[in-house]
Amino acid sequence: MTTVETPAPAPAPGTPAHEAPDGAKRSLAARLASGAAGGALRVFLLLVALFWLVPTFGLLVSSFRDPTDISTSGWWKVFSAPAQLTTKSYESLLENDGITDALFNTVWITVPATLLVVLIGAMAGYAFAWLDFKGRDWWFMGVVGLLVVPVQVALIPLSGLFRDLGIFGDIIGVVLFHVGFGLPFAIFLLRNFFAEIPRELLEAARLDGAGEVRLFTTVVLPLAAPALASLGIFQFLWVWNDMLVALVFSSSDSQPLTVALQQQVRQFGSNIEVLAPGAFISMVIPLAVFFAFQRQFVSGVMAGAVK
């Protein structure tokens, strides 16, 4: 009597070749190979992260070294001579009125420019997504077209306009410029995000008696928190690190930290003690903001990727 052998079931789609079907245990060699691959990837990513942090760590160490040591040796010398570490550079920085005033100016420029872009962009994005008005699609196409307008094109015309308005050289002029050029991207991003909200959810809120303002503040904005956080991070980093707009539209009384440090570089030999701590503070604040909203940023990116 001939025995017919039943063929083994095929593995499910997407199952790696080294994994056995039906919950069978993998071989020792397969488990070792899988563990080695994952471990090697983690080590590689860790090395990349450490390599990326080397300049930041070097700047941090330099900010705690004496100006004489900075000019004569590299920052890595501190490992063999830890006595080089001192807080004199930060004391000199706090005594430099130009740097401290520039730091406060940067805050007064960045925070309003970020909040206004997020707030106005959210309202305009909601209007383009869910409100019916004449020429809505054409107006939105105009907003999209503004995305390709370079900043350099508007420097001279807006300089004359701000001079006529009496705000050239003031902080408000720098803020208005950043708001104007930040809104097209904000409206484009948030409009596309709001358009993906289920219509049934909004209709249910309207049936419960919610008007457009209440619907926007209690339903739409909480759902858009990840997108708003992502936009806020992008806008904050762009405004905080900007130097071109600040060079053109700010004066000596309203210049941000980027311009103040650029002017200090011209006198590198006489004020080296303020450059390292000033540059580190200018860099660490955006990093702190990014890591503080990292979870919301990742959620916003993943939501956009899924949609």
Side-chain angles (χ1 to χ4, degrees), residues 18-295:
H18 60 269
E19 293 187 2
D22 298 333
K25 293 184 177 179
R26 295 182 299 170
S27 65
L28 177 61
R31 292 198 300 270
L32 291 177
S34 177
L41 180 60
R42 293 188 184 94
V43 172
F44 174 75
L45 294 178
L46 179 61
L47 292 176
V48 171
L50 292 176
F51 181 77
W52 182 79
L53 289 175
V54 166
T56 305
F57 180 75
L59 184 60
L60 173 62
V61 173
S62 298
S63 66
F64 284 99
R65 299 180 71 209
D66 189 83
T68 305
D69 297 326
I70 295 177
S71 59
T72 57
S73 61
W75 61 268
W76 51 88
K77 295 295 183 179
V78 73
F79 294 107
S80 58
Q84 292 183 356
L85 296 176
T86 178
T87 59
K88 292 182 179 179
S89 295
Y90 284 94
E91 295 174 0
S92 300
L93 178 68
L94 295 177
E95 295 173 357
N96 191 312
D97 294 335
I99 297 296
T100 54
D101 292 343
L103 179 59
F104 284 110
N105 289 336
T106 306
V107 175
W108 292 123
I109 292 173
T110 306
V111 174
T114 302
L115 294 179
L116 286 175
V117 166
V118 172
L119 178 60
I120 300 175
M123 292 188 294
Y126 174 77
F128 280 118
W130 293 108
L131 298 183
D132 293 327
F133 54 91
K134 186 176 181 180
R136 182 184 66 175
D137 295 335
W138 286 107
W139 281 106
F140 183 70
M141 291 301 297
V143 171
V144 174
L146 292 175
L147 291 173
V148 301
V149 177
V151 175
Q152 293 81 357
V153 173
L155 293 179
I156 296 178
L158 287 181
S159 297
L161 177 61
F162 288 172
R163 186 177 293 109
D164 295 338
L165 295 176
I167 59 176
F168 185 84
D170 294 338
I171 289 179
I172 187 175
V174 184
V175 172
L176 289 178
F177 190 97
H178 285 301
V179 171
F181 272 85
L183 280 177
F185 175 74
I187 296 173
F188 174 76
L189 175 68
L190 295 180
R191 183 266 178 190
N192 293 336
F193 188 90
F194 291 154
E196 298 295 333
I197 297 177
R199 180 179 295 272
E200 294 78 8
L201 180 62
L202 303 181
E203 294 297 336
R206 290 192 177 97
L207 290 176
D208 290 338
E212 295 297 336
V213 175
R214 184 180 177 185
L215 181 65
F216 175 72
T217 55
T218 61
V219 177
V220 175
L221 286 184
L223 292 175
L228 296 175
S230 301
L231 173 62
I233 290 175
F234 279 124
Q235 180 70 10
F236 184 92
L237 295 179
W238 179 46
V239 178
W240 183 276
N241 294 321
D242 168 75
M243 188 172 68
L244 175 61
V245 176
L247 276 173
V248 176
F249 293 98
S250 65
S251 62
S252 57
D253 296 331
S254 61
Q255 63 183 10
L257 191 57
T258 52
V259 178
L261 291 176
Q262 185 267 344
Q263 294 180 354
Q264 294 288 336
V265 171
R266 298 180 178 179
Q267 307 171 1
F268 184 78
S270 59
N271 56 7
I272 188 176
E273 69 276 4
V274 302
L275 287 176
F280 181 75
I281 292 176
S282 177
M283 181 178 58
V284 74
I285 293 179
L287 287 176
V289 171
F290 175 79
F291 286 117
F293 295 95
Q294 181 184 13
R295 180 174 300 178

